[in-house]
Amino acid sequence: TDVTKADSVNAAVSEAVSRWGRLDILVNNAGLICPKAFTDLTEAEWDAVVAVNLRGTFLCSQAAARVMMEQKRGSIVSISSKSGKQGGKWLAAYCATKFGIIGLTQSMALDLAEYGVRVNALCPGNVFSTPMWQKQLFEPYAKKLGIPVDQVRDYYNQKVPLGRECTVEDIGNALVFLVSDEASYMTGQALNVTGGQEMR
């Protein structure tokens, strides 16, 4: 599914409903990053990050919400970031979209509460095992920090109060909680999964 195109997103949601008869959970997890100084970002790079991260979250949420509103039940969780709560060097486009996801989450939560649909966000810390880090971030961050590539992971882990990086399992555990009935009284939240690195 191309999350930047409404027709593609609507087709995916229709397929899910056709196959299973309903739609209970949406996780907005598509993401794009362009680690460059703000003054070096091209308009095309800015637009690409905004299209995937923010427009994609909007389009997928809108399509899913229309189904969930009729069901009077559903849970939407969008993956924001600790960069959605604090700006970062060389992350202007990424941070702008991740901040935007939190604002969108709060607005959607208010719009959908009367229909029994909950909307929350997750704000993970650095997950070094993902393709985004492996393929796109280690080398630019080493350059940004002026350190060897093999020291980037330790540099960031030293900033985490719990002393380790965020794992896919850490995010998955929080995600399962947010979409479950155990979190039935939570909506409009941006839940940190950062080992104490972000506490707002």
Side-chain angles (χ1 to χ4, degrees), residues 131-190:
M132 182 180 285
W133 265 97
Q134 299 290 331
K135 297 178 181 179
Q136 293 182 271
L137 294 178
F138 275 116
E139 289 187 13
Y141 275 37
K143 179 181 176 183
K144 175 176 71 171
L145 297 167
I147 61 176
V149 171
D150 63 2
Q151 292 180 17
V152 171
R153 177 175 259 150
D154 286 341
Y155 173 88
Y156 281 105
N157 284 341
Q158 288 172 10
K159 295 177 175 291
V160 180
L162 288 182
R164 68 170 177 85
E165 64 197 67
C166 186
T167 67
V168 172
E169 289 76 16
D170 291 326
I171 300 167
N173 290 335
L175 178 60
V176 168
F177 167 69
L178 280 180
V179 301
S180 76
D181 287 341
E182 299 299 316
S184 63
Y185 202 55
M186 291 180 67
T187 195
Q189 302 305 302

Side-chain angles (χ1 to χ4, degrees), residues 35-72:
K36 293 174 71 172
F38 164 72
T39 49
D40 294 333
L41 274 174
T42 67
E43 187 176 352
E45 288 168 337
W46 172 272
D47 287 347
V49 174
V50 171
V52 172
N53 296 2
L54 196 51
R55 187 197 314 156
T57 297
F58 163 69
L59 290 175
C60 291
S61 298
Q62 188 179 61
R66 288 171 175 154
V67 175
M68 293 175 179
M69 288 165 69
E70 292 186 8
Q71 297 173 171
K72 302 293 186 186

